[in-house]
Amino acid sequence: MTVRVRFAPSPTGYLHIGGARTALFNWFFARHEGGKLILRVEDTDPSRSREELVRPLLDSFAWLGIDFDEGPHAGGPYGPYFQAQRLQRHQEAAQRLEAEGKAYRCYCTPEELAERREAMQREGKPPRYDGHCRNLTPEERKALEAQGRKAALRLKVPEEGAIIVHDLIRGEVTFSFAQLDDFVLLRSDGTPTYNFAVVVDDSDMAITHVIRAEEHLSNTPKQLLVYEALGLKPPVFAHVPMVLAPDRSKLSKRHGAVAVEEFREEGFLPEAVVNYLALLGWSPGSEEEVLPVAEIIRRFRLEDVGKTASIYDVGKMEWLNGQWIRRLPVEELLLRGRPFLEEAGLWPGAEGEARERLLQALTLAQPRLRTLRDLPDGVAYALRAPDTYDEKGRAKYFEGEAAKEILALCADLVEGLAARREWRRESIEKAYREEAEKRGLKPAELIHRTRLAVTGKTMGPGLFELLEILPPEEVARRLRRAASRIAP
């Protein structure tokens, strides 16, 4: 048997973190098993069945590295892959169930249905369809149709007993028929409901495994009943746990980025996003956390997916992203960070001294970066003098005549090193420490003021490695400029 799995989103225009995790689990499983991954767009409105509405989803999949074997963009032998374009097939299957007496027409209006449900609630009963039209005579149906009523089509659900869902992750889950009612297959306008269309489509596309979010578990008994009514073999089901916010509420924008495109815009690497989402609910069987996608695919088994909800931790995701940033060759890191440098007006072009300084600064900044969005702030000093200085640092290091004198002293020191052609980190550090000792100062009094004058910040890479990147004339100029801004 060739494993065939599918990811079936609605064309909302963006890929939510929960959906991305489900898509990845399908992809991991398909690739681990040497199977096929199918993209099916579950749109119910034919007017929305357009490629441009799917494009944002495809872009997100491509960025994550998920490649589909079949779908609207790739074609395949089981198309069309837009659900709305499969309407005739849905209607044919529904007509067959009606002809076989397994489904019946329901003429109840929405108002009548609501009224009956309210009555059930008042009586303390669960609100469900009461089977009002289940046993209508041909004469009663004709009378209702003569009134101009349009009928929905409902499946006849057994009134007693239970159905068992065999789930690879959750084991056996039992649903009593008392929990179900005669649910709608086709609406009165002839369009299929989700629980009917998904069965027809999954069967037609030879889907062997359905891996989806646990919120769909309650739909599964209905779908199994449809499979049975149509005489079809159901796929294997696996319902993965929800992704919740740290307070265990539903994940939303207030908890940070929730769409794949937002992670991209915030400077996350796709390798890190894939790695993090894989670990949300799945165990690799070891304590390792930084896992390349090839290794995830090699180890992935549905049996290793947990049953409990996973908690989204943006701090952990940023940490993992930092680990992946450190793994990049500096030239590739520069390439990936280019959009953020351009946005900050820091892209110096493909060649030249500025690019070389940028690469050196990037090498120093790399161990501290958590996202690519941090990159411009970490290397800006290599390309331009600071316009402002850290406020706390300014108050601590740039106040009074003594601060002004120390900055001027540092500028003289730098110019002396330049004149002697000793502009290397070891020489710079030696000169700073010797000058501090000669003046009866702590080296930190020179070091902190120099860092603030040159970078505008109080924190960063080692000062002497940082200074070595810049021309000494530029360092001296920034030191004197800072000194000139200190009020006497």
Side-chain angles (χ1 to χ4, degrees):
M1 177 186 68
T2 299
V3 164
R4 289 177 60 84
V5 295
R6 49 72 167 175
F7 183 64
S10 298
T12 57
Y14 74 94
L15 184 61
H16 187 275
I17 185 172
R21 198 272 304 265
T22 301
L24 283 167
F25 278 17
N26 276 276
W27 184 54
F28 298 151
F29 181 68
R31 296 295 173 257
H32 178 85
E33 298 291 338
K36 302 289 185 182
L37 175 62
I38 293 88
L39 175 65
R40 184 175 70 234
V41 180
E42 293 196 341
D43 56 339
T44 55
D45 181 356
S47 67
R48 301 183 69 199
S49 301
R50 299 195 305 273
E51 173 71 14
E52 62 266 25
L53 293 172
V54 183
R55 178 51 53 188
L57 288 171
L58 296 178
D59 289 345
S60 293
F61 293 137
W63 184 72
L64 290 172
I66 299 175
D67 55 324
F68 289 89
D69 301 293
E70 299 172 26
H73 61 303
Y78 296 95
Y81 295 92
F82 282 105
Q83 192 174 69
Q85 295 174 8
R86 303 179 63 81
L87 178 61
Q88 183 177 348
R89 178 70 187 96
H90 303 144
Q91 291 176 338
E92 288 171 355
Q95 289 162 7
R96 189 186 119 201
L97 291 179
E98 183 182 10
E100 294 174 356
K102 297 173 181 177
Y104 62 92
R105 297 189 183 192
C106 172
Y107 299 88
C108 299
T109 65
E111 294 75 18
E112 289 170 341
L113 293 171
E115 185 178 330
R116 288 188 207 128
R117 289 194 182 99
E118 288 172 7
M120 288 181 182
Q121 287 179 311
R122 287 195 297 269
E123 295 172 12
K125 299 177 181 178
R128 58 202 295 271
Y129 181 64
D130 60 1
H132 184 80
C133 296
R134 183 167 180 153
N135 298 307
L136 291 177
T137 65
E139 291 74 24
E140 288 172 324
R141 286 200 298 271
K142 284 182 182 179
L144 290 168
E145 289 170 1
Q147 296 175 21
R149 293 201 182 202
K150 292 186 176 180
L153 191 70
R154 291 181 182 271
L155 184 72
K156 287 183 179 178
V157 174
E159 297 179 296
E160 295 181 352
I163 190 167
I164 298 175
V165 175
H166 299 276
D167 191 281
L168 279 181
I169 295 171
R170 301 177 181 281
E172 292 188 351
V173 186
T174 302
F175 293 86
S176 168
F177 290 133
Q179 298 173 254
L180 307 176
D181 57 11
D182 292 350
F183 55 92
V184 173
L185 304 177
L186 286 186
R187 303 180 185 91
S188 59
D189 63 0
T191 59
T193 58
Y194 166 76
N195 283 316
F196 182 58
V198 73
V199 170
V200 175
D201 293 343
D202 282 347
S203 178
D204 285 356
M205 294 181 181
I207 301 302
T208 62
H209 295 73
V210 171
I211 305 167
R212 58 188 180 188
E214 68 173 341
E215 63 195 61
H216 288 290
L217 181 60
S218 60
N219 290 320
T220 310
K222 295 181 179 181
Q223 293 168 18
L224 287 173
L225 288 170
V226 175
Y227 276 107
E228 183 179 344
L230 290 170
L232 302 172
K233 180 182 178 181
V236 176
F237 290 97
H239 291 87
V240 300
M242 296 280 286
V243 179
L244 299 177
D247 60 0
R248 303 195 72 82
S249 65
K250 187 176 180 180
L251 200 59
S252 66
K253 284 186 176 290
R254 66 188 175 91
H255 300 111
V258 295
V260 169
E261 184 58 32
E262 291 175 313
F263 290 118
R264 185 177 186 176
E265 291 170 356
E266 289 302 314
F268 286 87
L269 301 179
E271 298 96 324
V273 175
V274 169
N275 190 168
Y276 178 74
L277 293 181
L279 297 176
L280 276 183
W282 169 74
S283 171
S286 70
E287 297 299 315
E288 296 169 87
E289 293 184 292
V290 184
L291 292 169
V293 68
E295 185 63 18
I296 295 170
I297 289 171
R298 187 184 73 80
R299 299 190 195 185
F300 190 82
R301 299 189 319 149
L302 287 172
E303 293 84 347
D304 295 327
V305 176
K307 299 179 183 179
T308 58
S310 302
I311 304 302
Y312 172 61
D313 182 350
V314 67
K316 179 64 176 290
M317 192 170 184
E318 287 180 352
W319 173 84
L320 194 56
N321 196 62
Q323 300 303 307
W324 277 99
I325 283 177
R326 290 166 198 32
R327 290 184 167 210
L328 292 178
V330 68
E331 286 279 2
E332 185 175 348
L333 178 57
L334 179 60
L335 184 64
R336 302 244 199 146
R338 177 173 177 170
F340 301 94
L341 291 168
E342 289 178 337
E343 183 182 312
L346 290 172
W347 184 253
E351 303 296 339
E353 183 183 338
R355 177 184 169 84
E356 185 57 36
R357 285 208 306 272
L358 181 54
L359 285 169
Q360 291 175 318
L362 195 51
T363 301
L364 293 182
Q366 192 170 10
R368 294 170 171 266
L369 299 178
R370 290 176 73 87
T371 72
L372 295 178
R373 191 160 285 283
D374 299 334
L375 197 153
D377 193 53
V379 301
Y381 70 87
L383 299 170
R384 64 189 181 201
D387 294 322
T388 58
Y389 304 105
D390 176 82
E391 278 302 317
K392 289 184 179 179
R394 187 185 184 103
K396 187 173 183 179
Y397 301 120
F398 282 6
E399 293 291 336
E401 192 63 32
K404 195 168 188 174
E405 290 175 359
I406 288 174
L407 287 170
L409 169 67
C410 290
D412 291 341
L413 197 63
V414 166
E415 289 170 345
L417 287 166
R420 297 193 299 275
R421 299 182 182 278
E422 296 179 357
W423 195 244
R424 297 180 304 280
R425 68 186 71 180
E426 299 83 4
S427 303
I428 301 169
E429 181 175 6
K430 182 173 181 290
Y432 261 67
R433 295 191 183 282
E434 287 178 350
E435 189 67 24
E437 184 178 359
K438 184 171 75 174
R439 303 274 180 173
L441 299 170
K442 295 179 180 179
E445 294 186 68
L446 279 64
I447 290 170
H448 292 317
R449 288 182 171 89
T450 297
R451 179 187 296 282
L452 186 60
V454 173
T455 70
K457 303 180 185 308
T458 58
M459 303 286 288
L463 176 67
F464 305 114
E465 292 88 345
L466 181 157
L467 292 180
E468 185 182 41
I469 293 172
L470 297 167
E473 307 80 37
E474 174 63 16
V475 174
R477 188 183 71 79
R478 293 185 192 185
L479 286 163
R480 296 197 188 283
R481 179 168 172 258
S484 70
R485 292 188 174 188
I486 297 176

